[in-house]
Amino acid sequence: MSPKTRTSSVQRPNLDELGLSMGKKVRLHRMLYEHGLKNGTLLILPIDQGLEHGPIDFFPNPASADPDFQWRLAIEGNYNAIALHYGLARKYMTKWAGRIPLVLKLNGKTSIPSDADALSTMTGSVDDAVSMGADAVGYTLYVGSPRQDEDFLQLQSVREDCDRYGMPLIVWSYPRGSAIEEKGGRDSLYAVDYAARVALEMGADIVKLNMPKHGSKDAEQPKKYAALDHSYEEGARRVVASAGRCLVLFSGGSKLGDEDVIHKAQTAMQAGAVGLIFGRNMWERPWKKALAMTKRMHDEVLSKYPG
Amino acid sequence: MSPKTRTSSVQRPNLDELGLSMGKKVRLHRMLYEHGLKNGTLLILPIDQGLEHGPIDFFPNPASADPDFQWRLAIEGNYNAIALHYGLARKYMTKWAGRIPLVLKLNGKTSIPSDADALSTMTGSVDDAVSMGADAVGYTLYVGSPRQDEDFLQLQSVREDCDRYGMPLIVWSYPRGSAIEEKGGRDSLYAVDYAARVALEMGADIVKLNMPKHGSKDAEQPKKYAALDHSYEEGARRVVASAGRCLVLFSGGSKLGDEDVIHKAQTAMQAGAVGLIFGRNMWERPWKKALAMTKRMHDEVLSKYPG
Amino acid sequence: MSPKTRTSSVQRPNLDELGLSMGKKVRLHRMLYEHGLKNGTLLILPIDQGLEHGPIDFFPNPASADPDFQWRLAIEGNYNAIALHYGLARKYMTKWAGRIPLVLKLNGKTSIPSDADALSTMTGSVDDAVSMGADAVGYTLYVGSPRQDEDFLQLQSVREDCDRYGMPLIVWSYPRGSAIEEKGGRDSLYAVDYAARVALEMGADIVKLNMPKHGSKDAEQPKKYAALDHSYEEGARRVVASAGRCLVLFSGGSKLGDEDVIHKAQTAMQAGAVGLIFGRNMWERPWKKALAMTKRMHDEVLSKYPG
Amino acid sequence: MSPKTRTSSVQRPNLDELGLSMGKKVRLHRMLYEHGLKNGTLLILPIDQGLEHGPIDFFPNPASADPDFQWRLAIEGNYNAIALHYGLARKYMTKWAGRIPLVLKLNGKTSIPSDADALSTMTGSVDDAVSMGADAVGYTLYVGSPRQDEDFLQLQSVREDCDRYGMPLIVWSYPRGSAIEEKGGRDSLYAVDYAARVALEMGADIVKLNMPKHGSKDAEQPKKYAALDHSYEEGARRVVASAGRCLVLFSGGSKLGDEDVIHKAQTAMQAGAVGLIFGRNMWERPWKKALAMTKRMHDEVLSKYPG
Amino acid sequence: MSPKTRTSSVQRPNLDELGLSMGKKVRLHRMLYEHGLKNGTLLILPIDQGLEHGPIDFFPNPASADPDFQWRLAIEGNYNAIALHYGLARKYMTKWAGRIPLVLKLNGKTSIPSDADALSTMTGSVDDAVSMGADAVGYTLYVGSPRQDEDFLQLQSVREDCDRYGMPLIVWSYPRGSAIEEKGGRDSLYAVDYAARVALEMGADIVKLNMPKHGSKDAEQPKKYAALDHSYEEGARRVVASAGRCLVLFSGGSKLGDEDVIHKAQTAMQAGAVGLIFGRNMWERPWKKALAMTKRMHDEVLSKYPG
């Protein structure tokens, strides 16, 4: 079920090590071993950007403004799951019901008000997820935000509902808010490393992280981090290690060229991630190119990292 | 029940495509095919302006200050529904009970305090709507407001109650608040387009939008929007498309001359809207003119767009 | 039960027109037709000023500091009801139980902190009212306050409890807060007119209003109001009209000379009010004068406006 | 049970006049007539200063830092009750269980953060009080604080729980917060008088007040209060009168010399109080002196005011 | 079970004196007498620093970043308990289940946002603790924080849940926030002494304190504290005395040299503490040194203070 051979440099935990209840194990197994490559890796297609950034994200590929585009891509591209908010599930899923696991995203916000005090509030519930046959829920936690206190409370309540129903919990663990911006910024190793650990401590089963990268504010990180002379690859490995027995998904971020996407994915998997959750890098490409990139992701990357 | 022939340029979704529960379908069918023109279009008369703007809106037509005026107009004008708050239903509906669908508006505010942090709080509940035999509820969401976080939570709770009872949810999706004013303003294409998508993601069955229009702050929109050289008609089509499988109602806004109202309505329907929710443009006209305008709306506009 | 002949210039609604549930009708009938003049008018004695203003209001008539004074005045003066908070009911009502309807005031505040963000929070519940045999509850709504959003939520909850128990809801609808002070002030026609409408929309059965009056800030009202050249009498009629199928009570405000009180009451009833809720103008007079003024109110005013 | 003869100048209400439920009467009777002097007066020993002021209050008498000191003093000194928070009851009461009535203090705060927006939040519940066999609960209300709105809500909830269980409610009614400091200060007659009335209106059975006194900010009180030329004794009588059918306890405040304490107590009882709640004036004295002062309080003061 | 002979200068309370319910006694007995030295002392290993400070705390000993390190250390080092948040229990405890008592830490925060208004919100519940077989829960209370009011409410709720389930409550009682920084700082005797008392009043069974120490802001303490000329040892004794019938654990704080750790531990126990909760001073040492230090702690310190 979860073979021990891995090619990544960091030991990726298998399902038996995650302290999972029966229901969580059933649902994660379904995503990891009964969909996609069925080899224990994950390729998830997220389409919550219409809420998070607005329709502007669909400008590079106007066809993508219709959520049916992403549903078809997820099905035809053989993804492990699609991740979106209640409305896009309720209105667009019926005809694909049962053909692909659903990750119901439970909280969100728009990009219109300032991010200084970021908090994403609920757009759905674990009950909604259960009633729609979802296999996991997604929750965005803004680590370091001045409103992190409210975020913890909200997440704890979601986590307890997940325990009740055996629903896997995926935490989008994002450093954010004015305090983070003063300590190296949201993409610094300090920030992402801390975010990985917080997700683990809060009880996430899977954590979605951005790849840490060097930036102009590196020196504003706490001294011990500012002093680290690490490569892009080492940064990725470090945050995967900090996530411990949380499986790690790396996100794709804004659109990159073909080889850069593949390189990012390789780095992520090499670092010990369980998989990728790439949205704009997929559906901002036209249909055929999106399918082709999906295939390359499967063939050139994910097939190399069975788990 | 919902014929496929349409004259609009945008493909309007029919009821079967909306992922509706039984109760929602029953109630929407009642509004779309058993009242008004019974052709799948909607003409809804809203009378929540007494709360939102105060009695000042009744000055052009003093008779309209008596809610009975709007009730009679809705009945005699053969509207598909009337939309108002709890008090105007409880006190004025008894004698018309069952003769016209009720859209119970569930939240509101006055125009007295500043709009910078706009949030409309509850004036009624889905339970109230059920107990009064309503066929839909209305909820005002202020997209982009600094208090959007609270708004999402409140809407999510209403949406879950709607799911429980099979009650259609109409979202008044209005860009509002200080952040919107700094990014092109509430009527910009950027703002309305985003608002349309948010309603879809949050699970609205119908979304009420304002027609986007050009304004002095257009250049303050995000660049990709500021760069668009679109016509009034294109703007309308775009936001209808962004609403996806939400049916779209366009609102009338402040009072216009006769031909301008008709033109606005034509543009709205041509863009793919399911109908119109025009208040002041109707009841700020004296009785006979209001009825006449209603008839023109039916004959010259809505009868052309069966769905 | 509710004769159609009226002498007021505005058509006062009768109980059958108010969309009342059985319990509400029973209780309002009791207040209107089985107490006081039993002619469909209301004379209510409020004694919540000890909370709202402090004991300072009792200085003109020290005997009035003992709540027993108001209870005796209400009984001996044959008022339709007495309105007060939980403590004054619990501690002083036992010996008069059943002899006069109780209007339990449910929320309040002191005058000590600033009024800029006025909100009155709960001092009792509809459950308290039911358990004490009350015939109505009173709720203070600060229309236009920056905290109006919270006020709506709180009122909606009270209103739903009233529906559950068939308990009539009297809304003290008071323009208040910094935004109102910038738009003509709390006594302006604009403010009171808006307050009347809001109470109606929120589902009040009876609304308590102050008489609108001209003031130094009239020109700061919205233009259409500033442009109105209305008399004191016309102002009163207008706000009664805006209250629609809410019965209107006018409040007395601070103490006036005898003839001024009578004139105020006449104007109120002439404008279509269902009655008067005069406190300081009654109990700030010594016992005999208070009783005499009560009698004049009955004989010279309320007997003229049966309904 | 409650003899009518009294020596105080203000008529002190007896238990039959307070509108008490059965349970409240049982418990108050126990405190008033079955403990202490059993003559209808109260001498209560409060020990919540460790929370409110910190261990600094124990410096004058280091032995008093051990809560057992106050428990023994209350028992050996034959007090009517001891008043303290949950922790001091749970940890120190077992061996004295049933020997002295417990007044469970339900809310509190430390003196560390600023008092400008004072609000004491819950440290225990009425359920706790019931489960520990308490005979009353204590609640601190900060009258006039900018957060008075929250305080009212919290107190209302406690009061309803008290009604449910027949638990007497003692309100520590303290003027506090920035607005009070601008209107004469917390010890002004205006402030204490208002606080007395508020407790009555909110439904307190007993109110704990500070003795009002003249101070440097007297002229900042509302004019009618600033104009009063009252003695210390008259001030006390006035606030007792304002408390109406709430029994009044006066607090002792910070430590005074022996004769001053006795004089304060005499003044309080002469003014119509039901008793005294003196803490630091008792337990900041060494054991023998504390017992001696307790005896003088009984012999020289409380025995003179049976009720 | 709890022998009376003690070598500490302050009388340490035994379990029979703490007013414990059956369940609390069972669980505390298990920690005190059935694990570790089984002599009534406590040595607890905390690993919540990954949340509170971030992965930066693991830099001195990279192996410690894997929570399994601390689990193994706690087991092999024969600690009385391990203290951590939900995620580290759920994901890492299965294989050690039943071998060491779990103290489930229930609230936390990161060090990213400012501490000025510190409040730790919930990461788990007493229900979680029960369902995982925990023997105690940990709660961080920020005494003196401007948000202390919310903290009290949250703690009270946790405490009531502890009462319901017989779950021992350990309060991390930490002076914190802007007001504390203005009154001598978080490590001053004033601050720690107050924190000890607050935990007692709130109903803690065990309180975790920092050792008070002299600092540059000593003179900013309240006068009576600033005037005290106390030694390090006296400070420790004083705060243990202020905790009364709460058992006291002293925390280790940041990493010290070997002899300094032993000295700190000796001072703590000599002062009357029940034990030590040392984290970084243990697991920031490499495996063998961590085990060696643990052994010294047992042999040279805790074995001297049976209770």
Side-chain angles (χ1 to χ4, degrees), chain E residues 252-268:
Chain E
S254 53
K255 195 181 164 191
L256 304 169
D258 285 11
E259 300 317 310
D260 288 346
V261 186
I262 295 293
H263 176 69
K264 186 170 196 172
Q266 293 281 18
T267 308

Side-chain angles (χ1 to χ4, degrees), chain D residues 51-127:
Chain D
L51 178 60
E52 297 291 334
H53 309 148
I56 204 166
D57 273 13
F58 308 127
F59 280 34
N61 176 24
S64 68
D66 181 350
D68 211 47
F69 185 94
Q70 286 88 2
W71 276 99
R72 284 186 294 117
L73 179 59
I75 300 282
E76 297 192 24
N78 192 26
Y79 284 73
N80 295 75
I82 187 167
L84 35 67
H85 286 276
Y86 173 86
L88 301 196
R90 179 63 68 204
K91 302 290 181 198
Y92 293 88
M93 182 171 158
T94 302
K95 73 174 163 187
W96 317 108
R99 294 187 51 189
I100 184 171
L102 167 66
V103 175
L104 188 67
K105 188 79 200 318
L106 296 187
N107 65 341
K109 63 175 191 60
T110 73
S111 58
I112 304 171
S114 161
D115 244 11
D117 298 313
L119 177 74
S120 279
T121 50
M122 308 306 290
T123 64
S125 65
V126 180
D127 277 75

Side-chain angles (χ1 to χ4, degrees), chain A residues 38-250:
Chain A
K38 303 185 181 181
N39 70 342
T41 61
L42 287 176
L43 184 65
I44 297 182
L45 190 71
I47 172 55
D48 60 343
Q49 292 83 352
L51 178 61
E52 296 292 334
H53 309 149
I56 204 167
D57 273 13
F58 308 127
F59 280 35
N61 175 25
S64 68
D66 181 349
D68 210 46
F69 185 93
Q70 285 88 2
W71 276 99
R72 283 186 294 118
L73 178 59
I75 300 283
E76 297 192 23
N78 191 27
Y79 284 73
N80 295 76
I82 187 168
L84 35 68
H85 285 276
Y86 173 86
L88 301 196
R90 180 61 69 204
K91 301 290 181 197
Y92 293 87
M93 181 171 159
T94 303
K95 73 175 162 186
W96 317 107
R99 294 188 49 190
I100 184 171
L102 167 66
V103 175
L104 188 67
K105 189 76 200 320
L106 296 187
N107 65 339
K109 64 175 189 60
T110 73
S111 57
I112 304 171
S114 161
D115 244 12
D117 298 314
L119 177 73
S120 279
T121 49
M122 308 306 289
T123 65
S125 65
V126 181
D127 277 76
D128 287 326
V130 173
S131 80
M132 287 196 270
D135 281 316
V137 293
Y139 181 93
T140 297
L141 175 71
Y142 287 126
V143 174
S145 165
R147 296 178 70 186
Q148 172 187 273
D149 54 339
E150 297 173 61
D151 221 351
F152 275 22
L153 280 174
Q154 193 176 249
L155 171 54
Q156 188 236 356
S157 169
V158 166
R159 193 266 298 156
E160 292 200 342
D161 286 346
C162 286
D163 283 356
R164 186 171 305 122
Y165 292 116
M167 180 65 66
L169 171 61
I170 307 180
V171 171
W172 274 229
S173 199
Y174 287 170
R176 202 62 51 97
S178 50
I180 279 290
E181 296 311 318
E182 291 164 12
K183 296 188 182 179
R186 61 182 72 173
D187 291 320
S188 67
L189 180 58
Y190 162 70
V192 181
D193 205 29
Y194 207 149
R197 178 78 184 199
V198 172
L200 172 66
E201 303 249 355
M202 296 297 292
D205 299 303
I206 301 182
V207 61
K208 178 185 187 239
L209 297 173
N210 288 309
M211 298 282 275
K213 58 186 179 194
H214 288 291
S216 60
K217 294 198 282 196
D218 276 5
E220 296 171 22
Q221 298 175 100
K223 280 184 195 172
K224 288 184 184 173
Y225 277 96
L228 286 178
D229 182 24
H230 61 93
S231 68
Y232 183 58
E233 288 73 15
E234 285 164 346
R237 278 198 297 273
R238 190 178 276 269
V239 302
V240 170
S242 288
R245 293 191 188 153
C246 270
L247 299 172
V248 174
L249 288 168
F250 278 109

Side-chain angles (χ1 to χ4, degrees), chain C residues 26 28 34 36 65 101 119 133 151 174 225 296:
Chain C
V26 165
L28 284 180
E34 303 193 358
L119 177 73
D151 221 351
Y174 286 170
Y225 278 97
R296 285 191 65 188

Side-chain angles (χ1 to χ4, degrees), chain C residues 7-215:
Chain C
T7 63
S8 65
S9 56
V10 175
Q11 184 76 1
R12 199 165 92 210
N14 67 50
L15 288 191
D16 292 330
E17 294 167 339
L18 299 183
L20 299 170
S21 67
M22 181 73 87
K24 287 194 176 198
K25 199 163 173 183
V26 165
R27 290 184 169 98
L28 284 180
H29 186 271
R30 196 180 288 144
M31 284 201 288
L32 285 160
Y33 299 105
E34 303 193 358
H35 286 85
L37 290 187
K38 305 185 180 180
N39 71 342
T41 62
L42 288 176
L43 185 66
I44 297 182
L45 191 71
I47 172 56
D48 58 345
Q49 292 83 352
L51 179 60
E52 296 292 334
H53 309 148
I56 204 167
D57 274 13
F58 308 127
F59 280 35
N61 176 23
S64 69
D66 181 349
D68 210 46
F69 184 93
Q70 285 89 0
W71 276 99
R72 284 186 292 116
L73 178 58
I75 299 282
E76 297 193 23
N78 191 27
Y79 283 73
N80 295 75
I82 187 167
L84 34 68
H85 286 277
Y86 173 86
L88 302 197
R90 180 61 69 204
K91 301 290 179 197
Y92 294 87
M93 182 171 157
T94 303
K95 73 175 163 185
W96 317 107
R99 294 189 50 189
I100 184 170
L102 167 67
V103 175
L104 188 68
K105 189 78 199 319
L106 296 187
N107 65 340
K109 64 176 190 58
T110 73
S111 58
I112 304 171
S114 160
D115 244 11
D117 298 314
L119 177 73
S120 279
T121 49
M122 307 307 289
T123 64
S125 66
V126 180
D127 277 75
D128 287 326
V130 173
S131 80
M132 288 196 269
D135 282 315
V137 293
Y139 182 93
T140 296
L141 175 71
Y142 287 126
V143 175
S145 165
R147 295 180 71 187
Q148 173 188 271
D149 54 339
E150 297 172 61
D151 221 351
F152 275 21
L153 280 173
Q154 192 175 252
L155 172 54
Q156 189 236 354
S157 170
V158 166
R159 193 266 299 157
E160 292 200 344
D161 286 345
C162 286
D163 283 356
R164 184 171 306 122
Y165 293 116
M167 180 65 67
L169 171 60
I170 307 181
V171 172
W172 273 230
S173 200
Y174 286 170
R176 202 61 52 96
S178 51
I180 278 290
E181 296 312 317
E182 291 164 13
K183 296 188 181 179
R186 63 183 70 174
D187 291 321
S188 68
L189 180 57
Y190 163 70
V192 181
D193 205 28
Y194 206 149
R197 179 77 184 200
V198 172
L200 172 66
E201 302 248 357
M202 295 296 292
D205 298 303
I206 301 182
V207 60
K208 178 184 188 240
L209 298 172
N210 288 309
M211 298 282 274
K213 58 185 179 195
H214 288 291

